[in-house]
Amino acid sequence: MKTKKIALITLGVTFLAGCATSQLQSGFPSAEEVVKSSWHNVPESMKGRLVQDEAQKICSAGRDNPSKETIARAEAIAKAAPVKLPKDGKMMGDWKKGEASAQSGFGQRVGDSSSRANGGNCYACHQMTKKELSYGTLGPSLLGYGKVRGNSEAIVKYTYEKIYNPHIYSGCSNMPRFGHNGILTPEQIADAVALLLDPKSPVNQ
Ligand code: HEC
C-alpha cells in the first residue's frame, strides 16, 4: 500500500515536472498576449480598454508599490483632468438611486447593453450599510461615512471628486475612476454622494 502511494506521488511529480518543462520549452505567452487573445470576440468599441492611459502605465510599472514620485505624478494628472458636474450643478442627488447603483455590477461587460445605465458596484469593494451583508473589503468600510464627516460643502466636494476620479486624492488608487472613465454619469455620482452623506441614507443609520 505504502509503496503504491509513493509510486503514485512520484508519478504525479514527474508528470507535473514534465508539464512545466514542456511549457517552458514552448515558451509561456506574456500576460499581455493572454489578455489580448482572450479579447478576440469583443466588440470593436470595447477594444480601447486594453490600452492604458498615462496614469495606468506609470502606476502599473510600480507593480503594487508605486514610488512617491509616481503617486504624485498620478495625482497631478488627475488634478489636471476635468471634473464634470451634473446639469443642475448639485453634487448631492438621491440616495435611493445611489443605493440601487451601488448594488449593481451591470455595464462594461461583454454582452451588456449600452441602453441600460451602468452600476457603480460599490459593494464589491466597500461595506456601506448594515443591511447588506455581502460586500468586498478591497476598499475601506464606508459605514457611517456621513455621520462621521457631516455634509459640509467641502465634504460634498471631496466625496464627489473622490468618486469621479480617486487619483485626485490618492494617486494610483485601486478604485475605478467612475466619472473620468465615463462608467457613471455626473448625475449618478451625485446619487452615490447622497448615499454616503444624506442623514436619511442607510449608510448613516
Ligand atoms: C474595485 C474596488 C472599488 C470599487 C468598486 C469602489 N471603490 Fe471606493 N475605494 C476603493 C479603495 C481601494 C479605496 C481606498 C483608496 C483610495 O482612497 O482611493 C476606496 C476609497 C473610497 C472612498 C474614500 C474613503 C475615505 O475615507 O475618504 C470613497 C468615498 C469611496 N471609495 C466611494 C466609493 C463609491 C461610492 C463606490 C461606488 C460608486 C466605490 N467607492 C467603488 C476601492 C473601490
Side-chain angles (χ1 to χ4, degrees):
M1 189 67 184
K2 216 176 189 181
T3 343
K4 246 191 201 167
K5 250 190 203 164
I6 291 170
L8 275 176
I9 291 168
T10 318
L11 197 74
V13 170
T14 318
F15 175 71
L16 283 176
C19 282
T21 322
S22 68
Q23 269 180 343
L24 274 179
Q25 274 164 358
S26 65
F28 281 115
S30 70
E32 216 166 294
E33 282 165 348
V34 172
V35 173
K36 262 195 191 141
S37 68
S38 67
W39 273 59
H40 54 88
N41 280 334
V42 164
E44 214 44 54
S45 59
M46 287 178 85
K47 287 205 169 140
R49 287 175 57 196
L50 287 182
V51 183
Q52 292 188 316
D53 64 18
E54 192 192 344
Q56 285 171 320
K57 260 188 211 143
I58 59 167
C59 293
S60 311
R63 313 291 290 185
D64 282 339
N65 198 10
S67 68
K68 269 191 199 149
E69 292 73 31
T70 300
I71 291 172
R73 175 78 192 125
E75 286 173 7
I77 295 171
K79 279 177 194 146
V83 172
K84 287 185 204 134
L85 295 183
K87 286 194 190 82
D88 64 4
K90 290 185 190 138
M91 287 187 257
M92 214 161 125
D94 177 342
W95 72 259
K96 286 185 186 142
K97 287 187 191 160
E99 166 66 5
S101 161
Q103 291 276 4
S104 164
F106 187 86
Q108 301 213 330
R109 297 170 303 192
V110 176
D112 278 352
S113 139
S114 56
S115 59
R116 188 176 138 193
N118 292 339
N121 209 14
C122 317
Y123 282 101
C125 296
H126 295 286
Q127 178 184 30
M128 299 183 93
T129 57
K130 284 189 193 133
K131 201 174 155 205
E132 178 53 74
L133 300 177
S134 163
Y135 55 83
T137 52
L138 186 65
S141 170
L142 300 174
L143 194 63
Y145 181 91
K147 230 184 186 175
V148 178
R149 295 164 185 260
N151 55 11
S152 65
E153 220 174 283
I155 289 294
V156 173
K157 182 172 181 281
Y158 162 75
T159 308
Y160 186 90
E161 290 179 346
K162 180 76 201 176
I163 302 167
Y164 198 96
N165 188 349
H167 294 235
I168 295 174
Y169 296 100
S170 330
C172 299
S173 168
N174 283 327
M175 176 161 148
R177 294 169 290 174
F178 288 102
H180 181 79
N181 284 344
I183 303 166
L184 297 179
T185 63
E187 283 73 17
Q188 286 181 301
I189 293 175
D191 293 336
V193 172
L195 176 65
L196 292 175
L197 295 179
D198 192 318
K200 287 191 226 93
S201 153
V203 168
N204 299 313
Q205 304 314 308

